Amino acid sequence: MKAFALPTPVGCVPTMGAFHEGHLALMRQARKECASVVVTLFVNPTQFGPNEDLSRYPRQEEVDTRLAESAGVDLLFIPSAEEMYPRRTTRVCVEEVTSLWEGALRPGHFEGVATVVLKLFNIVRPDVAYFGLKDLQQCAVIRRMVEDLDVPISLRFVETVRDSDGLALSSRNTYLSPEARAIAPEIFRSIALAAQAIGQQQDVDMAIERAVAALTAQGIAVEYLSLVDPITMSPIDRLESGCRLIVAARLDGVRLLDNVGINPDASAKIS
Ligand code: AMP
């Protein structure tokens, strides 16, 4: 392997590919703030459970290469699983912030995420790394790992990019049938309405119950819907500065995640 130096600061955007406007927003933000932008594209097998979608996860390297170029990316790093994992004897385990939500429902998931992200950090050696708030608990895990292990990297968290009907962009949206895609925006609508109610000091439990009922009525199965502290990921029962409403829901066999901040304008984008 040949070593070379990129102009600093170096910004890094870790991804699993199948780029959409959410990924591109992270790349553009990195482009604005950094002299060099490195994007990593690795569908990390260790963060998928045995019954999850690793084998059908969308892959489109050529399209992704063009999209990354269009966002001004300097280097697209696409390692193989063999290169990344000649052995799997060491793992990074972040405790506490992983005890609930995705951490509880997907055992081993965040160990896979933290391990691969630390490996990618050590390979790319960025000054700044970019993550999407769409995956709020992932942000909390990376933040905690960077603090606990004194990783010398600044983190930037970028707000979720949505389709025009409010659905959070996700590579997994391609799994939705046309019928499921038509009702999927209800996930954002319901949490945005609940966030608005909570922002107006209405009862948190009642706002959450209403949102769950609205989703259930549409045939959307809620796995969790809670107000949380975004740093600790602990549930909270009344409005606190910076708190966010998180949801995981399943429709048509597809798991979708979303979350919103609480502020008086949260409803502005809902028709
Ligand atoms: P993924 O390829 O799904 O692992 O995502 C790579 C990065 O893009 C992660 O930091 C995600 O949180 C972020 N991301 C995914 N979807 C969105 C979105 N809709 N808006 C902003 N960032 C996103």
Side-chain angles (χ1 to χ4, degrees):
M1 193 164 54
K2 218 170 164 185
F4 58 92
L6 291 166
T8 58
V10 174
C12 178
V13 183
T15 79
M16 298 206 299
F19 295 154
H20 50 63
E21 281 298 321
H23 296 111
L24 298 179
L26 302 190
M27 296 176 204
R28 292 191 192 110
Q29 181 91 18
R31 182 70 285 165
K32 253 193 244 160
E33 297 176 354
C34 299
S36 309
V37 178
V38 179
V39 170
T40 67
L41 191 175
F42 181 57
V43 183
N44 174 35
T46 67
Q47 70 187 70
F48 288 79
N51 300 315
E52 293 184 355
D53 55 342
L54 174 62
S55 59
R56 70 163 177 156
Y57 198 83
R59 287 160 213 255
Q60 46 167 56
E61 276 178 22
E62 273 178 34
V63 175
D64 284 348
T65 304
R66 269 183 269 125
L67 288 170
E69 263 174 16
S70 76
V73 169
D74 297 302
L75 198 99
L76 181 59
F77 176 54
I78 313 183
S80 68
E82 294 72 31
E83 275 175 300
M84 287 297 282
Y85 297 114
R87 289 175 305 281
R88 294 189 189 179
T89 42
T90 304
R91 282 188 283 275
V92 179
C93 173
V94 181
E95 292 178 348
E96 291 180 359
V97 294
T98 53
S99 65
L100 295 173
W101 324 124
E102 295 306 292
L105 292 169
R106 302 180 67 188
H109 170 66
F110 284 124
E111 237 178 59
V113 170
T115 304
V116 81
V117 168
L118 189 60
K119 281 174 68 72
L120 291 167
F121 282 176
N122 285 332
I123 295 166
V124 175
R125 306 204 180 189
D127 301 289
V128 191
Y130 294 80
F131 294 89
L133 283 170
K134 152 92 172 34
D135 299 291
L136 190 70
Q137 194 171 16
Q138 174 169 278
C139 294
V141 169
I142 304 299
R143 186 193 287 112
R144 185 61 67 88
M145 176 186 80
V146 161
E147 276 177 26
D148 286 354
L149 300 182
D150 307 298
V151 180
I153 292 174
S154 305
L155 299 175
R156 299 269 191 283
F157 301 112
V158 178
E159 196 45 88
T160 303
V161 178
R162 302 178 178 282
D163 233 328
S164 55
D165 58 11
L167 179 65
L169 296 182
S170 163
S171 309
R172 292 188 165 100
N173 291 352
T174 55
Y175 301 155
L176 294 167
S177 65
E179 296 73 28
R181 175 63 189 81
I183 57 165
E186 189 59 34
I187 296 172
F188 171 64
R189 275 179 69 84
S190 61
I191 57 168
L193 280 171
Q196 182 191 16
I198 294 167
Q200 293 165 348
Q201 306 289 339
Q202 292 180 30
D203 184 75
V204 170
D205 288 341
M206 274 179 50
I208 288 175
E209 268 169 39
R210 275 200 303 271
V212 172
L215 290 172
T216 310
Q218 294 284 335
I220 299 174
V222 176
E223 294 190 352
Y224 58 76
L225 200 162
S226 180
L227 191 65
V228 300
D229 175 319
I231 309 294
T232 63
M233 293 307 291
S234 303
I236 53 180
D237 58 10
R238 72 187 109 87
L239 185 58
E240 281 176 19
S241 156
C243 64
R244 294 182 77 97
L245 203 52
I246 59 169
V247 62
R250 194 179 278 275
L251 78 161
D252 202 21
V254 183
R255 270 190 98 234
L256 296 176
L257 306 186
D258 202 352
N259 70 90
V260 289
I262 312 289
N263 71 54
D265 299 326
S267 65
K269 290 189 201 118
I270 334 170
S271 51

